[in-house]
Every structure is written in structure tokens, then in C-alpha cells.
Amino acid sequence: MTLKVYADRMSQPSRAVIIFCKVNGIEFEEIKVELSKRQHLSPEFKEINPMKQVPTIVDGGFKLFESHAILIYLACACPGVADHWYPADLFKRAKINSVLDWHHSNLRRGAAGFVLNSALAPALGLPLNPQAAAEAEKLLSASLGMIESFWLKGNGPFLLGSSQPSIADLSLVCEIMQLEVLDEEDRNRILSPHKKVLQLIEETRNATRPHFDELHAILYKVKARLRELCVAGTMTGDRPSSRSE
Amino acid sequence: MTLKVYADRMSQPSRAVIIFCKVNGIEFEEIKVELSKRQHLSPEFKEINPMKQVPTIVDGGFKLFESHAILIYLACACPGVADHWYPADLFKRAKINSVLDWHHSNLRRGAAGFVLNSALAPALGLPLNPQAAAEAEKLLSASLGMIESFWLKGNGPFLLGSSQPSIADLSLVCEIMQLEVLDEEDRNRILSPHKKVLQLIEETRNATRPHFDELHAILYKVKARLRELCVAGTMTGDRPSSRSE
């Protein structure tokens, strides 16, 4: 039975899971759960995931949500996934788990909070919230600083100084890519001080071509649409950020 | 070389790691990092963990932080840890990872946010923040509701319907135990609707005796001290909540 991946490509963890499957030749069926259409709130989807979040996978009779747990499961369950994605080595694996846990309360909160409150809120029918955006930006910038100065220490271009990407690179880079929907000034102010982070994005893109660009194409469409709405002065609804994790 | 655990027992993830070590007979040295004395900000501790958080472990030359990553590492690295703490079975393990990931953005944010803003802030030199507390209480109550209705489904008394505890039970229960520092009215309003959660606390306490009570004793001391300070009208400083994860 084919693996089913319930996802919305506007959700950064959904993209990470889909890119992982594609790069590793894992056969799967992508089932769109359009957050902007509130499909994640439907009774049918609630049966699959009572938390009403994407991504969610169904593998035979086995249901799983939370993208980090999904990535770990797929790396361990699917034959042929290269070891570097989630090394069997106990120490390397522990460090990757540490990055993934750190992501939740730091980069994730900062990036998702800033993107929502500075750009996407009107598309969700919410007001922009400059105060919340400013708070989130602090956490986001501090998180990018820690990636730059700590997680990217070492010889290799990937997190933890590795020469090849792990699921942590994929997860964090998909999160950072969400900043592509921001206006240029915001994006540059936040990202440009972090040259090694920019390099990490490029290395991850190169390691996962052509799937990385395919999966992120939606962000540029949404950005253009947000700009149109903004110019028209009618922020009356487009795709929301996500209800993902 | 003995495992070193840098911890403050006022930090819920610190308690989870110490209880895990004690229950499983893992030899370790507990090194106090007193958050109230800002010892986590010292240059010496920053060398050990640049994120300045507890718990952190040093196992020989191997440093690790983030309590979930630490618990997983210890469960896998230490001989003699019973399988139920972090089962080798791929599916069971994936579900535990899912609970742990969910914890970060749900129970953790709700509980830590509520305890800080409704009780501990003055001890940190911060004002109580009723609006932030109200927001956090919503997330906390929703999280407890999901534990009750979803994570505790099944026959066994532990998370995921298990008959024996996993590291997820330990982590989440230590989080919920932080509510012990609240005044009775707040604690009862939030916890009493969730009978299965109360039962989970008791089962986890029973499964980890006497270490569970030993590790949580500090909460009751701090609660008494907070009450004294409150009565005296001089909330001028005691132990802060934590700078843990």
C-alpha cells in the first residue's frame, strides 16, 4: 500500500517531508489538505489527525504526525535512505535530535511568528501585529545567529559541520525558506547578516535538486499574490500561512 | 568517566532527566546550575552549553542539551534501560517521538507560559502578566484536553495506551507537575477537569518512586516561599521559573 502524505506545500514541515520522500525515491501519494480552504478542519481529516495539522502520513494502517517524527520514521523504515540523513551512529543521531528539538522553541517560533504577523495575517483575516512581529523578529534573529555561530561550526557546510545533509538541515532550511514570502526589505534585514545560513540554504538546495525548487515554487506565487492584494488595497483573503504543527 | 548532568530541579526537563537516571540506575553526578543565581549565564557554563540552558549532559567528551534528545540518548546508550522507556519497535518509537515533538509547541508553551505569567514572574523581577497568562491558559487547557482525549486513549494508563511508562510520560508529567507552584484555585481550575491526566501523574509517580517525590519536593518549597513573599507584599526575588530549554 502506498504511503500517503497529507500536506500543504505552504506549510514548511510539509515541504520538508515531501522533499525527503522525493530525494530518497520513496513512493508516496501526496494528498493536498488546503489550509486556506480549511480542509484541515474537515471531519474526514480529523479522523486521520485529531490535531488537525499537516503534514500527516498514513503508511498502511499506521498514522503519524509531527514532521520531525515523520522524517525519523521514514529514514528508519524506508530501505535505501542514505545514512547521512539520520545516522545510525548514536552520537551523531543524538546531535541531530538536539537540533530538531531546539528548532521547535527557537527558529520555528521566531520564523513562523514573524511571517504571520508581518505578512500573512491579512490573508487569514487577521490584522498585522507589529508588536508580535517585533517580538518574533528578536527570536528569529537570535536563532539565525545561533545557527550561524554554533550549529554551523565545523568543516562541512551542513549543520553540525557535516559534509552531507541530515533531516535537520532539511527541516530548518524549509523553515527559513518561509521568509521568501516577506517583502524584500524585511527578508534582507533579517537574513543578510547570516552568510553561513545563506550558504546552508544553497547547499541544501543543491543537495536536493530539483525537488527543492519545485516544492518552494508556491512561496513565490503567494508572495506575488500578496503584493497584488496589497497594491489593490484589498487584503481580503488568499492562502493563509499554515496550520501546520 | 561519570556522566555529568547539569541541572536545576526547578526546571521541569531537568527533573525528567534526573528521575530517568535514578530510576534506571544510571550512575551520574548532578551539577547544580542555579538559574535564580544566574549560574547558567556564567562563562564556564556557556562553554558547556552556548544556549545557556539546563539540562545539559557531558558524557566523557560528548556534550548534549535538549531534554528529549538527552532522554533518547541515555535510553539508547546506557545498558540495562528497559525497552518500555524508548521501545526499539519502529512504530512505537515513532509514536513516542510524535508525542515529544507535540509537547514542545503545545503543553510546554501553555504550561510554562501560564506558570511564569501567573505565579513566578515577580520572583524574576517581572510583573505578572494576566493577558499572557490567559493566552497561555487556553493553550494549556487545550493541551491537557488532547492528552486526556487522544494521547491517553487505549487500555493502559500511560500515554499511547501503554501499560508501562516511556520517556514521553516522564517528560510530559514533569511539565504538568510545574503547576504545583500555582495557587490552589488556579491549579484546580486547570487540572481537575482532566481525571485521566491526574491518573497519569499518579501512575508515573508510582512507577518512579521514590525518585519522583524526591525530585519534585523543591516545588512545594518554592510554592510556600512564594506565598510568604506574597503575604509580605514583598515579591522581591526568589527562585525564578527556569531558563530551561
Side-chain angles (χ1 to χ4, degrees), chain A residues 50-51 53 59 62-69 72-73 76-77 86 90-95 97-106 108-109 146 150-151 243 245, chain B residues 50-51 53 59 62-69 72-73 76-77 86 90-95 97-102 104-106 108-109 146 150-151 243 245:
Chain A
M51 303 295 178
Q53 291 173 334
D59 191 14
F62 183 66
K63 296 173 191 168
L64 191 65
F65 57 87
E66 288 291 339
S67 67
H68 295 168
I72 290 171
Y73 169 77
C76 297
Y86 192 59
L90 186 64
F91 301 104
K92 288 182 183 170
R93 187 169 280 197
K95 289 283 192 184
N97 289 339
S98 179
V99 178
L100 291 172
D101 285 327
W102 175 87
H103 179 194
H104 283 287
S105 307
N106 294 279
R108 172 74 172 160
R109 283 183 68 174
M146 286 311 291
F150 181 68
W151 294 122
R243 167 66 179 158
E245 299 188 354
Chain B
M51 302 295 178
Q53 292 171 336
D59 190 14
F62 183 66
K63 296 173 190 167
L64 190 66
F65 57 88
E66 288 290 340
S67 67
H68 295 169
I72 290 171
Y73 169 77
C76 296
Y86 192 58
L90 186 64
F91 302 103
K92 288 182 182 170
R93 187 169 279 198
K95 290 283 192 183
N97 289 338
S98 179
V99 178
L100 291 171
D101 284 328
W102 175 87
H104 283 288
S105 308
N106 294 279
R108 171 75 173 160
R109 284 181 68 174
M146 285 311 291
F150 181 68
W151 295 121
R243 167 65 181 158
E245 298 186 354

Coordinates of all heavy atoms in Angstrom, one line a residue, chain A residues 50-51 53 59 62-69 72-73 76-77 86 90-95 97-106 108-109 146 150-151 243 245, chain B residues 50-51 53 59 62-69 72-73 76-77 86 90-95 97-102 104-106 108-109 146 150-151 243 245:
Chain A
P50 N -6.4 14.0 14.6 CA -7.3 14.8 15.5 C -6.6 16.2 15.9 O -7.3 17.1 16.3 CB -7.4 14.0 16.8 CG -6.7 12.7 16.5 CD -6.0 12.8 15.2
M51 N -5.3 16.3 15.7 CA -4.7 17.6 15.9 C -4.9 18.6 14.8 O -4.5 19.7 14.8 CB -3.1 17.4 16.1 CG -2.8 16.5 17.3 SD -3.3 17.1 18.9 CE -2.7 15.7 19.9
Q53 N -3.5 18.9 11.8 CA -2.2 19.6 11.4 C -1.7 18.8 10.2 O -1.8 17.6 10.1 CB -1.2 19.5 12.5 CG -1.5 20.5 13.6 CD -0.5 20.3 14.8 OE1 0.1 19.3 14.9 NE2 -0.4 21.3 15.6
D59 N 0.8 5.1 6.6 CA 1.6 4.1 6.0 C 0.9 2.8 6.3 O 1.1 2.2 7.4 CB 3.0 4.2 6.6 CG 4.0 3.3 5.8 OD1 3.6 2.9 4.6 OD2 5.1 3.1 6.2
F62 N -0.8 2.6 9.7 CA -0.1 3.4 10.7 C -0.1 4.9 10.4 O 0.3 5.4 9.3 CB 1.4 3.0 10.6 CG 2.3 3.6 11.7 CD1 2.1 3.4 13.0 CD2 3.3 4.5 11.3 CE1 2.9 4.0 14.0 CE2 4.1 5.1 12.3 CZ 3.9 4.9 13.6
K63 N -0.7 5.7 11.3 CA -0.8 7.1 11.2 C 0.2 7.8 12.0 O 0.4 7.4 13.2 CB -2.2 7.6 11.6 CG -3.4 7.0 10.8 CD -4.7 7.4 11.5 CE -5.9 6.7 10.8 NZ -7.1 6.8 11.6
L64 N 0.8 8.9 11.5 CA 1.8 9.6 12.2 C 1.8 11.1 11.8 O 1.6 11.4 10.7 CB 3.2 9.0 11.9 CG 4.3 9.5 12.8 CD1 4.1 9.0 14.3 CD2 5.7 9.0 12.3
F65 N 1.9 12.0 12.8 CA 2.1 13.4 12.6 C 3.2 13.9 13.4 O 3.8 13.2 14.2 CB 0.8 14.1 12.8 CG 0.2 14.0 14.2 CD1 0.7 14.8 15.2 CD2 -0.7 13.0 14.5 CE1 0.2 14.7 16.5 CE2 -1.2 12.9 15.8 CZ -0.7 13.7 16.8
E66 N 3.5 15.2 13.2 CA 4.7 15.9 13.6 C 5.9 15.6 12.7 O 6.3 14.4 12.6 CB 5.1 15.5 15.1 CG 4.2 16.1 16.1 CD 4.3 17.6 16.3 OE1 5.4 18.2 15.9 OE2 3.4 18.2 16.8
S67 N 6.3 16.6 12.0 CA 7.2 16.3 10.8 C 8.5 15.7 11.3 O 9.1 14.9 10.5 CB 7.5 17.7 10.1 OG 8.2 18.6 10.9
H68 N 9.1 16.1 12.4 CA 10.3 15.5 12.8 C 10.2 14.0 13.1 O 11.0 13.2 12.6 CB 10.9 16.2 14.1 CG 11.2 17.6 13.9 ND1 11.5 18.5 14.9 CD2 11.4 18.4 12.8 CE1 11.8 19.7 14.5 NE2 11.7 19.7 13.1
A69 N 9.1 13.7 13.7 CA 8.8 12.2 14.0 C 8.6 11.5 12.6 O 9.1 10.4 12.5 CB 7.6 12.1 14.8
I72 N 12.1 11.0 10.9 CA 12.8 10.0 11.5 C 12.3 8.6 11.2 O 13.0 7.7 10.8 CB 12.8 10.2 13.1 CG1 13.7 11.4 13.4 CG2 13.3 8.9 13.8 CD1 13.6 11.8 14.9
Y73 N 10.9 8.5 11.2 CA 10.3 7.2 10.9 C 10.6 6.8 9.4 O 11.0 5.7 9.2 CB 8.8 7.4 11.0 CG 8.0 6.2 10.4 CD1 7.9 5.0 11.1 CD2 7.4 6.3 9.2 CE1 7.2 3.9 10.5 CE2 6.7 5.3 8.6 CZ 6.6 4.1 9.3 OH 5.9 3.0 8.7
C76 N 14.2 5.7 9.0 CA 14.4 4.3 9.6 C 13.7 3.2 8.9 O 14.1 2.1 8.8 CB 14.1 4.3 11.0 SG 15.1 5.5 12.0
A77 N 12.5 3.5 8.4 CA 11.6 2.5 7.8 C 11.8 2.2 6.4 O 11.5 1.1 5.9 CB 10.1 2.9 8.1
Y86 N 20.0 10.4 8.7 CA 19.7 10.2 10.1 C 20.6 9.1 10.6 O 20.2 7.9 10.7 CB 18.2 9.9 10.3 CG 17.8 9.9 11.8 CD1 17.9 11.1 12.5 CD2 17.3 8.8 12.4 CE1 17.5 11.1 13.9 CE2 16.9 8.8 13.7 CZ 17.0 10.0 14.5 OH 16.6 10.1 15.8
L90 N 25.2 6.6 17.3 CA 24.4 7.1 18.4 C 24.7 8.6 18.7 O 23.8 9.3 19.0 CB 24.8 6.2 19.6 CG 24.1 6.5 21.0 CD1 22.7 6.1 20.8 CD2 24.8 5.6 22.0
F91 N 25.9 9.0 18.6 CA 26.3 10.3 18.9 C 25.9 11.3 17.9 O 25.3 12.4 18.2 CB 27.9 10.4 19.1 CG 28.4 9.5 20.2 CD1 29.0 8.4 19.9 CD2 28.1 9.8 21.6 CE1 29.5 7.5 20.9 CE2 28.6 9.0 22.6 CZ 29.2 7.8 22.2
K92 N 26.0 10.9 16.6 CA 25.6 11.8 15.5 C 24.0 12.0 15.6 O 23.5 13.0 15.4 CB 26.0 11.2 14.2 CG 27.5 11.3 13.9 CD 27.8 10.8 12.5 CE 29.3 10.9 12.3 NZ 29.7 10.1 11.0
R93 N 23.4 10.9 15.8 CA 21.9 10.9 15.9 C 21.4 11.7 17.1 O 20.5 12.5 16.9 CB 21.4 9.4 16.1 CG 20.0 9.3 16.0 CD 19.5 7.8 15.9 NE 19.6 7.3 14.5 CZ 19.1 6.2 14.1 NH1 18.3 5.5 14.9 NH2 19.2 5.8 12.8
A94 N 22.1 11.7 18.2 CA 21.8 12.5 19.4 C 21.9 14.0 19.1 O 21.0 14.8 19.4 CB 22.6 12.1 20.6
K95 N 22.9 14.3 18.3 CA 23.1 15.7 18.0 C 22.0 16.2 17.0 O 21.5 17.3 17.1 CB 24.5 15.9 17.3 CG 25.7 15.8 18.3 CD 25.8 17.0 19.2 CE 27.1 17.0 20.0 NZ 27.3 18.1 20.9
N97 N 19.0 15.0 16.9 CA 17.8 15.1 17.7 C 17.8 16.4 18.5 O 16.8 17.1 18.7 CB 17.7 14.0 18.7 CG 17.3 12.6 18.0 OD1 16.8 12.6 16.9 ND2 17.7 11.5 18.7
S98 N 19.0 16.8 19.0 CA 19.1 18.1 19.7 C 18.8 19.3 18.8 O 18.1 20.2 19.2 CB 20.6 18.2 20.3 OG 20.8 19.3 21.0
V99 N 19.3 19.3 17.6 CA 19.0 20.4 16.7 C 17.5 20.4 16.4 O 16.9 21.5 16.5 CB 19.7 20.2 15.3 CG1 19.3 21.3 14.4 CG2 21.2 20.2 15.4
L100 N 16.9 19.3 16.2 CA 15.5 19.2 15.9 C 14.6 19.7 17.1 O 13.6 20.4 16.9 CB 15.0 17.8 15.5 CG 15.6 17.3 14.2 CD1 15.3 15.8 14.0 CD2 15.0 18.1 13.0
D101 N 15.0 19.3 18.3 CA 14.3 19.8 19.5 C 14.5 21.3 19.6 O 13.5 22.0 19.9 CB 14.8 19.1 20.7 CG 14.2 17.7 20.8 OD1 13.1 17.4 20.4 OD2 14.9 16.8 21.3
W102 N 15.7 21.8 19.4 CA 16.0 23.2 19.6 C 15.1 24.0 18.6 O 14.6 25.1 18.9 CB 17.5 23.4 19.3 CG 17.9 24.9 19.3 CD1 18.2 25.6 20.3 CD2 18.0 25.7 18.1 NE1 18.5 26.9 19.9 CE2 18.4 27.0 18.6 CE3 17.8 25.5 16.7 CZ2 18.6 28.0 17.7 CZ3 18.0 26.6 15.9 CH2 18.4 27.8 16.4
H103 N 15.0 23.5 17.4 CA 14.2 24.1 16.3 C 12.8 24.6 16.8 O 12.4 25.7 16.6 CB 14.1 23.1 15.1 CG 13.2 23.7 14.0 ND1 12.8 22.8 13.0 CD2 12.8 24.9 13.6 CE1 12.1 23.5 12.1 NE2 12.1 24.8 12.5
H104 N 12.1 23.7 17.5 CA 10.7 23.9 17.9 C 10.6 25.2 18.7 O 9.6 26.0 18.4 CB 10.2 22.8 18.9 CG 9.9 21.5 18.2 ND1 8.7 21.4 17.5 CD2 10.5 20.3 18.2 CE1 8.7 20.1 17.0 NE2 9.7 19.5 17.5
S105 N 11.4 25.5 19.7 CA 11.2 26.6 20.6 C 12.0 27.8 20.2 O 11.9 28.9 20.8 CB 11.6 26.2 22.0 OG 11.0 25.0 22.4
N106 N 12.7 27.7 19.1 CA 13.6 28.9 18.7 C 13.3 29.3 17.3 O 12.5 30.2 17.0 CB 15.1 28.5 18.9 CG 15.4 28.3 20.4 OD1 15.6 29.2 21.1 ND2 15.3 27.0 20.9
R108 N 11.7 28.0 14.8 CA 10.3 27.8 14.4 C 9.4 28.9 15.0 O 8.6 29.5 14.2 CB 9.8 26.4 15.0 CG 8.3 26.1 14.8 CD 8.0 25.8 13.4 NE 6.6 25.3 13.3 CZ 6.0 25.4 12.1 NH1 6.6 25.8 11.0 NH2 4.8 24.9 12.0
R109 N 9.5 29.2 16.3 CA 8.6 30.2 16.9 C 8.9 31.6 16.3 O 8.0 32.3 16.0 CB 8.8 30.2 18.4 CG 8.1 29.1 19.1 CD 8.2 29.2 20.6 NE 7.5 30.3 21.1 CZ 7.4 30.5 22.4 NH1 7.9 29.7 23.3 NH2 6.7 31.5 22.9
M146 N 22.4 31.8 16.2 CA 22.9 30.6 16.8 C 23.2 29.5 15.8 O 24.1 28.8 15.9 CB 21.9 30.0 17.8 CG 21.8 30.8 19.1 SD 23.4 31.1 20.0 CE 23.9 29.5 20.5
F150 N 26.9 28.6 16.0 CA 27.0 27.3 16.7 C 26.7 26.1 15.9 O 27.6 25.2 15.7 CB 26.2 27.3 18.0 CG 26.3 26.1 18.8 CD1 27.4 25.8 19.5 CD2 25.2 25.2 18.9 CE1 27.5 24.7 20.3 CE2 25.3 24.1 19.7 CZ 26.5 23.8 20.4
W151 N 25.5 26.0 15.4 CA 25.2 24.8 14.7 C 26.0 24.6 13.4 O 26.1 23.5 12.9 CB 23.7 24.7 14.3 CG 22.7 24.7 15.5 CD1 21.8 25.6 15.9 CD2 22.7 23.6 16.5 NE1 21.1 25.2 17.0 CE2 21.6 24.0 17.4 CE3 23.4 22.4 16.7 CZ2 21.3 23.2 18.5 CZ3 23.0 21.6 17.8 CH2 22.0 22.0 18.7
R243 N -1.7 25.9 9.0 CA -2.0 25.3 10.3 C -1.2 24.1 10.3 O -1.7 23.0 10.0 CB -3.5 25.1 10.6 CG -3.8 24.2 11.8 CD -3.4 24.9 13.1 NE -3.8 24.0 14.1 CZ -3.3 24.0 15.3 NH1 -2.4 24.8 15.7 NH2 -3.7 23.1 16.3
E245 N 1.6 22.0 12.4 CA 2.2 21.7 13.6 C 2.1 22.9 14.5 O 3.0 23.6 14.9 CB 3.7 21.4 13.4 CG 3.7 20.1 12.6 CD 5.1 19.6 12.4 OE1 6.1 20.2 12.9 OE2 5.2 18.5 11.9
Chain B
P50 N 26.4 26.7 24.9 CA 26.3 28.0 24.5 C 24.8 28.5 24.5 O 24.6 29.7 24.4 CB 26.8 28.0 23.0 CG 27.3 26.7 22.8 CD 26.9 25.8 23.9
M51 N 23.9 27.6 24.5 CA 22.4 28.0 24.6 C 22.1 28.4 26.0 O 20.9 28.9 26.3 CB 21.5 26.9 24.1 CG 21.8 26.4 22.7 SD 21.5 27.6 21.5 CE 22.0 26.7 20.0
Q53 N 21.2 26.7 28.7 CA 20.0 26.0 29.2 C 20.4 24.8 29.9 O 21.4 24.1 29.7 CB 19.2 25.6 28.0 CG 18.6 26.8 27.2 CD 17.9 26.4 26.0 OE1 18.2 25.3 25.4 NE2 16.9 27.2 25.5
D59 N 29.0 13.5 28.7 CA 29.3 12.1 28.9 C 30.7 11.8 28.3 O 30.8 11.7 27.1 CB 28.2 11.2 28.2 CG 28.3 9.8 28.5 OD1 29.0 9.4 29.5 OD2 27.6 9.0 27.8
F62 N 31.5 14.0 25.3 CA 30.3 14.2 24.5 C 29.3 15.1 25.2 O 28.8 14.8 26.3 CB 29.6 12.9 24.2 CG 28.4 13.0 23.3 CD1 28.5 13.5 22.0 CD2 27.1 12.7 23.8 CE1 27.4 13.5 21.1 CE2 26.0 12.8 22.9 CZ 26.1 13.2 21.6
K63 N 29.0 16.3 24.7 CA 28.1 17.3 25.3 C 26.7 17.2 24.6 O 26.7 17.2 23.3 CB 28.6 18.7 25.2 CG 29.9 18.9 25.9 CD 30.4 20.3 25.6 CE 31.8 20.5 26.1 NZ 32.5 21.7 25.6
L64 N 25.7 17.3 25.3 CA 24.3 17.3 24.7 C 23.4 18.1 25.5 O 23.4 18.0 26.7 CB 23.9 15.8 24.6 CG 22.6 15.5 23.8 CD1 22.9 15.8 22.3 CD2 22.2 14.1 23.9
F65 N 22.5 18.8 24.8 CA 21.4 19.5 25.5 C 20.1 19.3 24.8 O 20.1 18.6 23.7 CB 21.7 21.0 25.7 CG 22.0 21.7 24.4 CD1 20.9 22.3 23.6 CD2 23.2 21.9 23.9 CE1 21.2 22.9 22.4 CE2 23.5 22.5 22.7 CZ 22.4 23.0 22.0
E66 N 19.0 19.8 25.3 CA 17.6 19.5 24.9 C 17.2 18.1 25.6 O 17.7 17.1 25.2 CB 17.4 19.4 23.4 CG 17.5 20.7 22.7 CD 16.3 21.7 23.0 OE1 15.2 21.2 23.5 OE2 16.4 22.9 22.8
S67 N 16.3 18.3 26.5 CA 16.0 17.1 27.4 C 15.5 15.9 26.6 O 15.8 14.7 26.9 CB 15.0 17.5 28.4 OG 13.7 17.8 27.9
H68 N 14.7 16.1 25.5 CA 14.2 14.9 24.8 C 15.3 14.2 24.1 O 15.4 13.0 24.2 CB 13.2 15.3 23.7 CG 11.9 15.9 24.3 ND1 11.0 16.6 23.6 CD2 11.4 16.0 25.6 CE1 10.0 17.0 24.4 NE2 10.2 16.6 25.6
A69 N 16.2 15.0 23.5 CA 17.4 14.3 22.9 C 18.3 13.6 24.0 O 18.8 12.5 23.7 CB 18.3 15.4 22.2
I72 N 16.5 10.3 25.0 CA 16.7 9.3 23.9 C 18.1 8.8 23.9 O 18.3 7.5 23.9 CB 16.3 9.9 22.6 CG1 14.8 10.2 22.5 CG2 16.7 9.0 21.4 CD1 14.3 11.0 21.3
Y73 N 19.0 9.7 24.1 CA 20.4 9.2 24.1 C 20.7 8.3 25.2 O 21.3 7.2 25.1 CB 21.4 10.5 24.2 CG 22.8 10.1 24.5 CD1 23.6 9.6 23.5 CD2 23.3 10.3 25.8 CE1 25.0 9.3 23.8 CE2 24.6 9.9 26.0 CZ 25.4 9.4 25.0 OH 26.7 9.1 25.3
C76 N 19.2 4.9 24.8 CA 19.9 4.0 23.8 C 21.3 3.7 24.2 O 21.8 2.6 23.9 CB 19.9 4.7 22.5 SG 18.3 5.0 21.8
A77 N 22.0 4.6 25.0 CA 23.4 4.4 25.3 C 23.7 3.6 26.5 O 24.7 3.0 26.6 CB 24.1 5.8 25.4
Y86 N 11.9 3.5 25.8 CA 12.0 4.1 24.4 C 12.1 2.8 23.5 O 13.2 2.4 23.1 CB 13.2 5.0 24.3 CG 13.3 5.7 23.0 CD1 12.3 6.6 22.6 CD2 14.4 5.6 22.1 CE1 12.3 7.3 21.5 CE2 14.4 6.4 20.9 CZ 13.4 7.2 20.6 OH 13.4 7.9 19.5
L90 N 9.9 0.1 15.8 CA 9.9 1.3 14.9 C 8.6 2.1 15.1 O 8.6 3.3 15.2 CB 10.1 0.8 13.5 CG 10.2 1.9 12.4 CD1 11.5 2.7 12.6 CD2 10.2 1.2 11.0
F91 N 7.5 1.4 15.2 CA 6.2 2.1 15.2 C 6.0 2.7 16.6 O 5.5 3.8 16.7 CB 5.1 1.1 14.9 CG 5.2 0.5 13.5 CD1 5.7 -0.8 13.3 CD2 5.0 1.3 12.4 CE1 5.9 -1.3 12.1 CE2 5.1 0.7 11.1 CZ 5.6 -0.6 10.9
K92 N 6.3 2.0 17.6 CA 6.1 2.5 19.0 C 7.0 3.7 19.2 O 6.7 4.7 19.8 CB 6.4 1.4 20.0 CG 5.4 0.3 20.1 CD 5.8 -0.7 21.2 CE 4.7 -1.8 21.3 NZ 5.2 -2.9 22.1
R93 N 8.3 3.6 18.7 CA 9.2 4.7 18.8 C 8.8 5.9 18.1 O 8.9 7.0 18.6 CB 10.6 4.2 18.3 CG 11.7 5.1 18.5 CD 13.0 4.5 18.2 NE 13.5 3.7 19.3 CZ 14.8 3.3 19.5 NH1 15.7 3.6 18.6 NH2 15.1 2.5 20.5
A94 N 8.2 5.7 16.9 CA 7.7 6.9 16.1 C 6.6 7.6 16.8 O 6.6 8.8 16.9 CB 7.2 6.4 14.7
K95 N 5.7 6.8 17.5 CA 4.6 7.5 18.2 C 5.2 8.3 19.4 O 4.7 9.3 19.7 CB 3.6 6.4 18.7 CG 2.8 5.8 17.6 CD 1.7 6.7 17.1 CE 0.7 5.9 16.2 NZ -0.3 6.8 15.6
N97 N 8.1 9.6 19.6 CA 8.7 10.8 19.0 C 7.7 11.9 18.7 O 7.8 13.1 18.9 CB 9.5 10.5 17.7 CG 10.8 9.7 18.0 OD1 11.3 9.8 19.1 ND2 11.3 9.0 17.0
S98 N 6.5 11.4 18.2 CA 5.4 12.3 17.9 C 4.9 13.0 19.1 O 4.7 14.3 19.1 CB 4.3 11.5 17.2 OG 3.2 12.3 16.9
V99 N 4.7 12.3 20.2 CA 4.3 12.9 21.5 C 5.3 14.0 21.9 O 4.9 15.1 22.3 CB 4.1 11.9 22.6 CG1 3.7 12.6 23.9 CG2 3.1 10.8 22.3
L100 N 6.6 13.6 21.9 CA 7.6 14.5 22.3 C 7.7 15.8 21.5 O 7.8 16.9 22.0 CB 9.0 13.8 22.3 CG 9.2 12.7 23.4 CD1 10.5 11.9 23.1 CD2 9.2 13.2 24.8
D101 N 7.5 15.6 20.2 CA 7.5 16.8 19.3 C 6.3 17.7 19.6 O 6.4 18.9 19.7 CB 7.5 16.4 17.8 CG 8.9 16.0 17.4 OD1 9.9 16.5 17.9 OD2 9.0 15.1 16.5
W102 N 5.2 17.0 19.8 CA 3.9 17.8 20.1 C 4.0 18.6 21.4 O 3.6 19.7 21.5 CB 2.8 16.7 20.2 CG 1.5 17.3 20.6 CD1 0.5 17.9 19.8 CD2 0.9 17.4 21.9 NE1 -0.6 18.3 20.5 CE2 -0.3 18.0 21.8 CE3 1.4 17.0 23.2 CZ2 -1.1 18.3 22.9 CZ3 0.6 17.3 24.3 CH2 -0.6 17.9 24.2
H104 N 6.5 20.2 22.6 CA 7.2 21.5 22.5 C 6.2 22.6 22.3 O 6.3 23.7 22.9 CB 8.2 21.4 21.3 CG 9.4 20.7 21.6 ND1 10.4 21.2 22.4 CD2 9.9 19.5 21.2 CE1 11.4 20.3 22.5 NE2 11.1 19.3 21.7
S105 N 5.4 22.5 21.3 CA 4.6 23.6 20.8 C 3.2 23.7 21.5 O 2.4 24.6 21.2 CB 4.4 23.5 19.3 OG 5.6 23.4 18.7
N106 N 2.9 22.7 22.3 CA 1.6 22.7 22.9 C 1.6 22.7 24.5 O 1.6 23.8 25.1 CB 0.8 21.5 22.4 CG 0.6 21.6 20.9 OD1 -0.4 22.2 20.5 ND2 1.4 21.0 20.1
R108 N 4.1 22.3 26.6 CA 5.2 23.1 27.1 C 4.9 24.6 27.1 O 5.1 25.3 28.1 CB 6.4 22.8 26.2 CG 7.7 23.6 26.5 CD 8.3 23.2 27.7 NE 9.6 23.9 27.9 CZ 10.2 24.0 29.1 NH1 9.6 23.5 30.2 NH2 11.3 24.6 29.3
R109 N 4.5 25.1 25.9 CA 4.2 26.5 25.8 C 3.1 27.0 26.7 O 3.2 28.0 27.4 CB 3.9 26.9 24.3 CG 5.1 26.9 23.5 CD 4.8 27.3 22.1 NE 4.3 28.7 21.9 CZ 4.1 29.4 20.8 NH1 4.3 28.7 19.7 NH2 3.7 30.6 20.8
M146 N -6.2 17.4 25.0 CA -5.8 16.5 24.0 C -5.1 15.3 24.6 O -5.2 14.2 24.1 CB -4.8 17.2 23.0 CG -5.5 18.1 22.0 SD -6.9 17.4 21.1 CE -6.2 16.2 20.1
F150 N -6.9 12.1 23.6 CA -6.2 11.4 22.4 C -5.0 10.6 22.9 O -4.9 9.4 22.7 CB -5.8 12.5 21.4 CG -5.1 11.9 20.2 CD1 -5.8 11.1 19.3 CD2 -3.7 12.1 20.0 CE1 -5.1 10.5 18.2 CE2 -3.1 11.6 18.9 CZ -3.8 10.8 18.0
W151 N -4.0 11.3 23.5 CA -2.8 10.6 23.9 C -3.0 9.5 24.9 O -2.2 8.5 25.0 CB -1.7 11.5 24.4 CG -1.2 12.5 23.4 CD1 -1.2 13.9 23.5 CD2 -0.5 12.2 22.1 NE1 -0.7 14.5 22.4 CE2 -0.2 13.5 21.5 CE3 -0.2 11.1 21.4 CZ2 0.4 13.6 20.3 CZ3 0.4 11.2 20.2 CH2 0.7 12.4 19.6
R243 N 15.5 28.9 33.2 CA 15.9 29.1 31.9 C 16.3 27.8 31.4 O 17.4 27.4 31.4 CB 17.0 30.1 31.8 CG 17.7 30.2 30.5 CD 16.8 30.8 29.4 NE 17.6 30.8 28.1 CZ 17.1 30.8 26.9 NH1 15.8 30.7 26.8 NH2 17.8 30.8 25.9
E245 N 15.6 25.1 28.4 CA 15.1 24.9 27.1 C 14.2 26.0 26.6 O 13.0 25.8 26.4 CB 14.4 23.5 27.0 CG 15.4 22.5 27.3 CD 14.9 21.1 27.1 OE1 13.7 20.9 26.9 OE2 15.7 20.1 27.3

